Structures are given as structure tokens and as C-alpha cells.
Amino acid sequence: MPPAAASSSEAVGTVGDRAARPAESAPALAPSSLLPRPAEGGGIETLAKFDRFLGGDETVGAASAPTSADSASATLASSASPASPPEGSAPVRPPETAEPAAEPRPIAPRPPPLAVDVPKRLADPLMLVQTSGTPLVEFLQLFSDLSTIPITLEPDALALVRLTPLSPVSIDASATTVGGALTSALRSLGLEAVTVEDQLVVRVIEPETLRTIEYPTKDLADDEAGREALAQLLQAVVEPSSWGEEQGQGSITVPANKAVLTIRQRQAVHAALFIACEKLRVARGKPPASTRYDAALFSLTSRSTRAAEKLQQRVTANFRQPTRLVTILRRLGEFSGLTILVDWQDIASLGWNPQAEASIVFDNQPLEDALDALLGPMDLAWRVVDAQTLQVVSPQRLATQGELEVYPVGPLVGDDPQGQQLLARVQATLGEETFVEAGGVGVVRYDPVGRCLLAWLPQPKQRQLEEGLQRWRAAQDAAPATDRRP
């Protein structure tokens, strides 16, 4: 989602070799400070010319007056009191390609490429870093701005360590480095930052070797044959490509005379497996096995449906001058109550980095339409992570990344014990090319005990499936009892 422009009254500095720009307002934190450690010879290390400090107004580098482009106004309002764009104004459109054009130009201009020496930036010294309760996503944005390293937060497995992007970060360290402070803060949360090319990816800590966990199955399978069937189901609908005999791939063992599945997998896949098993219990009318987690995590309501109300909120916003994408997204997130993350690692191949800018005007549009209008011209897309979180991704990732949803379908199955007619109907609706058998990523299985579909599909296909199920239920409810069929 789009973040907002900085006001002309904000401090000005430089980031890397870019021209001076107004800094975004720092998060309101108390007490908090972030000071550069004195460099040898008495000078101050500017940490890649970071232009603002956590919780303060200090700047690094020479200040200069903001340009008209940097002092763009930005407003957000609800539909009850929309802040309309100035009379006679029109949304800013990207410049047209010059004629004749030697090569096609991107619809939205890309920022200059970043050349970041990640080890060097992580070794930059910090004299003192203190904060108590800074939201994780803001903390990472701060360190990204500080170091100039693009930082991506992987959100999907955070539930395993009972975190969200808004979980508070606390750190009090002195005579350290950027990397040392980041590692210390993240490790206390069960997270780690790993270097991927010239970026950092923050994720749940992955052990060096695959982790083996025993999953209790007493309430999911009656005997060894049932456990074998459960193992096959989980391998089909949870990260199907992650299983196999090759090094680094996961496996499931069914021990004899023991009501467990022994699963060897990456930590992130264990998170998905844990949620899948709990959702299967809920679908079968059983309580979740774990009492440590919020039961809402195992709801059978799809993530798109859970976020729908917030995505329908209407927004009016005026970003007429080029404004950092992260600022626009942050402002839209503040308005809607959603956290909007960006997968910089994913969209780097499309030419985007955290210095990306956009210009756009919204006038009383639903938030999801505003996001499409903002990101579409940038050749970007967005996905729902959960009821509170969205993520900006590439269209390719949106179209190919599978995720699991569980749909109760009892009335649609009728007296077909294995749900074969419904499965055929689903395949015809989504298209054969969607499924693994035809080279796609999709898998849909029917669980006769829970009378539910377990669907591993990319999010656009999940929405298509859910809409189809809703239409079929409505048609079935409207039909005379004698004409009803699965």
C-alpha cells in the first residue's frame, strides 16, 4: 500500500548518493535514541548518510531546502468526510514514451539501481541504540533507511512464533554495529536476517538442518492406514514441491503402533503444516490441539474474506508529487488499519527498490481499487497475508505462489462419499492448467470426514474457487428440493 509524502518542515538529509530529501517522520518512541558511534580520529561515521534518527530530529549530512517535488501534500480521509483533490485537478499520469521509441519504456519510471555492499553496511558502527516497543515493521524500515539495505519481512510463518508485523521490538545496546543491533533485536523474537544477494530477508529462524517434529494424530487418524492417508494429504496440500528424496527436501514417516506422524521439514513449512492440521480438526468438528494460539488462526474463513471489510473502506488521497512508495503504503495502512509490507526481494527483478516513488490521486475509492490503481502501472500486485496484513509482490509471484485454504462444502457434496462430482466441477471451473498434473501449482483434495475441500492454490485462484462455491450454494438453495443436486 502506498506511503505518504514528507512535509516541507521535516528535517532534510541524504541517503546514499541520492539528492537531499525531507525525511519521513520518525516513530514516536520514548525513550529511544540511535546515535552513530564515533569513527576513529574523532569523526562521526554517517552510516551511509542515514538522514534521520529513531525518535529524534537529528540529521546526518548537510541540510538543504526541500524541493517542490519532495514537499508534496498528502491527505487521507474516510468516505464520511472525503478530502477531495483540488478542483480541476486530475490524477498525475506517467509521461508518454517519446516518439519514435527505440525500446518500450516501463509504464512507471524505475528508481536508480542500488549498489549496496551488505557486509560493509552491516559492519557500520553504532554508539548506542535504544528502543522499547517499536513495531517490528517500523524497526526494520528504520534499519533499512539507516543502512540503505532493502529489508524484506517474510510474514507467513510469523504465527509459529506468535508474532505479527506489529509485534514490539526492544533493544538497548551500545558500542555495536548495524548488523549486531539487528541480530540482537531479531534473535530475541525468534527471527533472523539472512543475506540474499544484496538484500536482507527477515524470517523465522531456520536451523541449519531440517527440523524433525512428531505431530500427534490420535484425533485425526484411527489406525496406521489412516495415518498413511493423512500423510499423503498433507504432502499434497502443504508446499507440495518441498517434499522428496533430495537433500533439503522434507519427508513424513508413519511409525508403527504410534499415533504420530514424524515430519522432517523446514521451519516455515512446519508452520504451514501445524495450521493445516488444526484447520482439519476444526473442519471435523474437533477443538484445536494447541491452546497456545489464538483460535482465529485456525478459522475456516479464507484470508481474502477476513480482509474484505477493510479492503472495501473508501479512501481519498492526493499524492500529486512523486512520493516514496513506502510512505504512500504506510499512510494507506494507517488509514485502513492494515499493515502493508513489500517483498523487495521479489520485485527487485522488476527494477524496484525502497527508493521507488509514485504519483497518484484517489477520490473516494475502495482501498482495494486504490491499490490496483497505484500498483498496476508499476507492474506490481498485492496479496492478502491475513486479516491485518497485505504484501506487495510481483504479478508472477501472485499467480504462482500456492497457499492453503479449507472450505466446508457438505451441502454441495450430497450423497457422493468421495466428492468426485464436486472435484470435477472445481477442476472445470479453475481450468486444467491450474493443477499440478498439467504443469500448474494447484492441488484440491476432498476430506470425507470433515466434508471439506483442502485447496493449495495461488490467491487469485482461491478467490475464483470461493466465488464459485458461493454461486453453487446460492443456486442450490434457490432450487426446489426435488431438483437439488451436488
Side-chain angles (χ1 to χ4, degrees), residues 112-250:
L114 289 179
V116 182
D117 186 334
V118 174
K120 185 176 181 180
R121 294 281 66 83
L122 291 177
D124 280 326
L126 286 177
M127 182 177 72
L128 177 68
V129 54
Q130 294 177 328
T131 183
S132 177
T134 307
L136 174 60
V137 64
E138 293 184 15
F139 182 81
L140 296 179
Q141 183 62 54
L142 170 69
F143 270 76
S144 178
D145 288 343
L146 172 67
S147 65
T148 71
I149 304 171
I151 301 178
T152 294
L153 174 63
E154 289 188 351
D156 294 276
L158 290 179
L160 184 68
V161 288
R162 290 181 288 179
L163 294 177
T164 75
L166 298 181
S167 294
V169 177
S170 297
I171 184 173
D172 185 350
S174 59
T176 185
T177 62
V178 170
L182 189 60
T183 297
S184 176
L186 294 177
R187 185 174 295 160
S188 66
L189 299 174
L191 304 176
E192 63 181 356
V194 296
T195 301
V196 181
E197 296 177 349
D198 57 353
Q199 302 195 20
L200 291 178
V201 175
V202 173
R203 66 186 188 187
V204 173
I205 293 175
E206 286 283 358
E208 292 185 6
T209 58
L210 298 184
R211 185 180 178 191
T212 300
I213 298 177
E214 288 190 339
Y215 284 68
T217 61
K218 186 175 181 179
D219 57 345
L220 292 175
D222 295 329
D223 51 25
E224 188 171 337
R227 292 192 291 275
E228 290 280 3
L230 177 61
Q232 293 175 12
L233 176 64
L234 293 176
Q235 288 177 311
V237 300
V238 179
E239 296 287 353
S241 63
S242 70
W243 307 93
E245 302 297 328
E246 297 181 9
Q247 185 176 3
Q249 291 189 308

Side-chain angles (χ1 to χ4, degrees), residues 283-321:
R284 293 178 175 185
K286 301 177 184 295
S290 174
T291 59
R292 299 175 57 205
Y293 297 87
D294 185 349
L297 183 62
F298 316 126
S299 168
L300 303 187
T301 303
S302 72
R303 64 195 74 193
S304 294
T305 298
R306 280 178 278 161
E309 183 176 352
K310 290 187 176 182
L311 287 169
Q312 286 301 311
Q313 294 180 89
R314 292 187 172 272
V315 59
T316 293
N318 182 352
F319 299 96
R320 298 188 60 80
Q321 298 293 340

